[in-house]
Amino acid sequence: MTSTFALQEHALVTDAFDALPYGFTAVTADGELLYANAWMTARLRDAGACGFLTWWNEESRSRLETALSLADAAGVRELALGSVEGATWRVSIEPWRASALGRASFVVSVRPLSGETEAARTIEERRIALIEVSDILREVEDPAEIAYRVAEVLGRALRVSRAGYGSVDTIAETITIERDWNAPGIVTIAGVLNFREYGSYIDDIKAGRTAVVSDAYKDPRTIHTADALASISATSFINMPVTERGGTVALLYLNHESPREWPEEEIDFVREVAHRTRVAVERRRAEAELLEFAHSLERQVAERTLERDRIWRLSSDILVVADTDTRLLSVNPAWTAILGWSERDSIGRSYLDFVHPDDTGRTGEETEQLADGVATLRFENRYRTADGGFRHLSWRAVPSEGMIFAVARDVTSERARDAELGAAQEQLRQAQKMDAIGNLTGGVAHDFNNLLQVISGNLQLLGADVSGNERAERRVANAMAGVTRGSKLAAQLLAFGRRQPLAPKVVNIGRFIRDMDELLRRALGEAIEVETVIAGGLWNTLVDPSNVENALLNLAINARDAMHGQGKLTIEAGNALLDEAYATAHGDLRPGQYVMLAVTDTGTGIPNDILDKVFDPFFTTKPEGRGTGLGLSMVYGFVKQSGGHVKMYSEAGEGTTVKIYLPRSTQSEDRVVAIEEEAVRGGDETILVAEDDEAVRETVVGMLGELGYRVLKARDAESALSIIESGIAIDLLFTDVVMPGPLRSPQLARKAVERQPGIAVLFTSGYTENAIVHGGRLDEGVELLSKPYTREQLARRVRQLLSSRVPRTIAETVSAPAAGSSASSAALRPLRVLVLEDDALIRMSIAEMLESRGHTAFEAGDGNEAIRLHGVEGIDVLLADVGLPGMSGVEVAERLRENQPELPVIFATGDHLANGVQRDSHTAVIIKPYGVADLMEALGRITRG
């Protein structure tokens, strides 16, 4: 056997090998023994082995054959093997080529591990296992084979029942196992497994944490599924997640059929193997894909007639080959089709030359990762096109042998859609903001206008008192001017918030502008030239004329200030068609036909950095005290509320153009006839004023009273309805739109017309909310007097409605509730009635009922006040609520009758049984709610005697 081995010719060397205390052999790649020293020869002879390979047990022989078949000149390979003697040996294989043989051969040394300590033995076994894993990862190409071989090494090294590697789907919560290693007697679990069937530890895996279970019957994550785990020989296990870019993608697992502790050293060992395996598997898969791609390129070169293969030529995605110095080596036709750069313009240049400047840094960092061997799975940047634009590209790239193979998909349209979605969301946020601001400004305007109405009304009443006192009249006039300015500010707030009530009419803007010519020239001054350009065939538009006038005046005054009082103002009106593209680019705008109104000045213009802010509320470029910043905001809000669009064009030093687009109307123009205002006059009709603000209510009652009207008052809609239902003939209901309580003003108006068909209704408000305004427009047939209003405006509007209302018929008057009053109530003498009621609204309503029939009412909110009034006033009748805080109405009546035993008493209650009330000839009960007829009848009954 040794005669053919060259080393025998050197006796000295042979003696040295024979003196070694361990085995030293030389074998071929197929296991043929070429040489064995004395130590190895003795053991082969004692074991009766026919050769070097037969000395090992079956498992070790298989591993040794594989190691020899894979061994090459890469370096030393070490294994831990078991022989037929039952001992464990450390085997070292070193490649060596015997020149005399001309074929691959290896020097193999065999050292026993049995003499080492258990800890040292464990460390040595794991070190050798890691060497085996490294060899497998370096030599084996198939990813599935890599996973199986690594699992086998790991399973044998840690002496477990099963080891495997699988892909994890964290959404479906499954693992896919292609092949696993199993100890003798253990059944494979290859296939797809659902984690939840074996416990809740999947939550740890999804979070990237290693799941370690020593005993499934004791661990809370597996205690309910321990039998299922035991059925697959996994009573104890390690599940090591492999993460990539923050997510779990694979799992290296070890199963053992019985409970077992897992020391931290074993877990660290498994973690190291898992990491190496994942990197190797992904690299093999990426390399396999790119190698296939590279082979495709080689075939193209060989064919010479085709520059690219079918995939290369017809792919809609960009395919490139570059080196790690970023130099482009090859590009497919999609490169030119998408970016416009020809192959001649591209090959040899750095791809960084085409990258957007803002993305160059990130792209360079990604290139460094590729140079280090890390594949790029998804990376986005922007590439410059030949025409100067930019396209968004999403890249996948893999390094191989100093080159980068990459594919890019054009995602520009997707990013554009994302941008459109973002813009739509921003428009939604803007709309929500505008709605919130509108609600805020509406509430502010409501309270502010109420305040202004109180001030305005009292100033006008005061004006009559100081008539003839020039100094006092001047002060009142100045105060009224302040009220007017405040009213204008409130109107601007409502206009900006799109909460003003519009009364649109079909108008011709051209005729409207010509009618305003004189007004504009007076407002602008003689130093400003005004030119109007009206296009022929101008369409009509449906718009509120007064708001158009205000908007045009605002724009003209802004232009005057921008021109410092000298320049040229051009006002144009024409037809315009806004297409789908323009409408889409400008958010909440519908494509279609519009009437365009443009105002152009030759002023200083507006810098680009503030052009987008000019319509923001309270933004102004004027000096402090020269403007509120609401003028353009008002224009913007009015135009948007009218369904239109406004656009501003300006450059610093070049003037400004503001274009307003109002929707076209196909209806004929509404000719507005100017009515000559007549002198202020009043009347003797009955008016019911419903107003929750006490100061406003008293002011308007005072103004109407001065005009000669008979005025009834209510502090909310329910009180007003009670008065209407009492039977009092009312000619006009003057009601605030927004009042507290369950009954809303529109409902009050409807019920009032139902009960008294001839009644006229006039609404008033500083903010209409949505009660009588819908779509920004007053409801059909609704009359509104906006706060604050002057005495003259109130008088004319009231007189206009009273004069134009449908008069009551005799039948309606006779059938009214007042006509049904009893004879006894009609014959009542005037009485002094003490009204005891804790609800102020009800108390006020009762008092007005009594006063409307000629009686005198004294109001008390509690028992003590009633006793006090009874002591100082001559009271004929007590009208008391039964349920009162503190002292009840019954108790108060008893106290008053101690001094006035025959005092007639009417108890008002919502309790039909009227418990606690003793009825007699001087005591009556009326059930709430009741009307004036019920009250008069009760008064007549208890006062007859």
Side-chain angles (χ1 to χ4, degrees), residues 271-552:
R271 185 176 290 111
E272 173 68 17
V273 173
H275 173 71
R276 293 188 183 188
T277 303
R278 175 60 182 172
V279 172
V281 167
E282 291 307 311
R283 182 183 293 116
R284 286 293 184 273
R285 287 176 177 166
E287 287 174 355
E289 294 175 1
L290 288 178
L291 283 175
E292 177 62 27
F293 184 64
H295 292 155
S296 172
L297 294 179
E298 291 175 3
R299 288 193 299 272
Q300 296 164 31
V301 173
E303 293 172 359
R304 305 182 73 85
T305 56
L306 294 176
E307 190 86 6
R308 302 287 186 267
D309 66 2
R310 185 178 299 275
I311 296 177
W312 181 266
R313 286 183 293 103
L314 301 180
S315 172
S316 59
D317 294 336
I318 293 175
L319 305 175
V320 302
V321 180
D323 58 25
T324 52
D325 292 328
T326 74
R327 188 171 62 253
L328 289 170
L329 304 179
S330 183
V331 296
N332 75 330
W335 168 276
T336 303
I338 293 174
L339 300 178
W341 301 105
S342 67
E343 190 174 10
R344 180 188 303 175
D345 295 332
S346 308
I347 299 302
R349 293 179 61 182
S350 169
Y351 53 72
L352 294 177
D353 293 344
F354 304 95
V355 176
H356 192 287
D358 293 343
D359 297 342
T360 302
R362 294 190 305 109
T363 306
E365 294 173 1
E366 198 69 21
T367 301
E368 293 176 2
Q369 294 285 335
L370 287 164
D372 292 339
V374 179
T376 294
L377 299 182
R378 184 171 183 178
F379 177 77
E380 287 191 18
N381 59 8
R382 290 166 291 178
Y383 266 60
R384 181 165 48 87
T385 61
D387 59 5
F390 287 93
R391 307 294 293 179
H392 287 262
L393 302 180
S394 178
W395 293 91
R396 289 176 62 90
V398 180
S400 179
E401 299 179 356
M403 291 190 297
I404 299 173
F405 299 89
V407 55
R409 174 158 295 177
D410 183 4
V411 294
T412 306
S413 59
E414 297 175 19
R415 297 299 164 262
R417 285 194 296 271
D418 293 343
E420 290 175 3
L421 177 60
Q425 292 173 337
E426 179 59 31
Q427 290 168 8
L428 175 60
R429 286 191 291 270
Q430 182 69 15
Q432 292 171 336
K433 181 180 76 173
M434 288 295 298
D435 188 60
I437 293 176
N439 289 331
L440 173 63
T441 56
V444 170
H446 175 266
D447 294 339
F448 191 43
N449 281 328
N450 271 349
L451 179 62
L452 290 175
Q453 183 59 49
V454 174
I455 298 171
S456 171
N458 282 282
L459 285 173
Q460 293 171 79
L461 293 172
L462 181 61
D465 295 339
V466 300
S467 178
N469 185 333
E470 184 179 346
R471 184 178 181 184
E473 286 180 339
R474 185 170 61 253
R475 289 180 176 175
V476 170
N478 290 339
M480 282 299 296
V483 170
T484 302
R485 290 181 61 187
S487 174
K488 181 179 179 182
L489 177 62
Q492 288 176 326
L493 281 171
L494 286 174
F496 160 70
R498 308 182 199 179
R499 291 300 192 275
Q500 61 179 334
L502 300 180
K505 300 185 183 301
V506 179
V507 299
N508 185 283
I509 291 293
R511 186 176 296 104
F512 192 83
I513 293 172
R514 282 190 288 268
D515 292 343
M516 286 186 63
D517 184 78
E518 183 179 350
L519 175 62
L520 288 172
R521 294 183 190 279
R522 287 202 311 267
L524 298 176
E526 296 180 357
I528 294 179
E529 178 188 354
V530 179
E531 180 183 1
T532 57
V533 180
I534 311 298
L538 188 66
W539 296 327
N540 292 335
T541 181
L542 183 65
V543 71
D544 188 315
S546 62
N547 276 282
V548 174
E549 179 178 329
N550 288 336
L552 189 53

Side-chain angles (χ1 to χ4, degrees), residues 758-775:
I759 194 171
V761 180
L762 175 59
F763 289 99
T764 181
S765 183
Y767 168 48
T768 58
E769 207 176 31
N770 287 323
I772 59 174
V773 175
H774 295 88

Side-chain angles (χ1 to χ4, degrees), residues 450-451 453-455 457-458 461 691-703 787:
N450 271 349
L451 179 62
Q453 183 59 49
V454 174
I455 298 171
N458 282 282
L461 293 172
E691 169 64 62
D692 63 300
D693 189 298
E694 185 175 355
V696 175
R697 184 173 65 250
E698 294 305 322
T699 302
V700 70
V701 167
M703 288 193 292
K787 297 177 182 177

Side-chain angles (χ1 to χ4, degrees), residues 184-212:
I186 303 300
V187 179
T188 180
I189 58 172
V192 179
L193 278 71
N194 191 315
F195 282 106
R196 292 291 178 186
E197 295 178 2
Y198 300 97
S200 62
Y201 56 90
I202 177 59
D203 296 327
D204 293 323
I205 296 171
K206 291 168 70 174
R209 298 187 297 267
T210 299
V212 179

Side-chain angles (χ1 to χ4, degrees), residues 891-924:
E891 293 172 333
V892 173
E894 291 173 353
R895 292 279 297 274
L896 297 186
R897 280 178 170 173
E898 289 176 359
N899 296 323
Q900 190 178 352
E902 300 300 321
L903 175 67
V905 178
I906 299 176
F907 289 104
T909 178
D911 182 6
H912 289 266
L913 299 178
N915 291 326
V917 176
Q918 298 295 327
R919 310 188 191 205
D920 53 35
S921 60
H922 295 289
T923 305

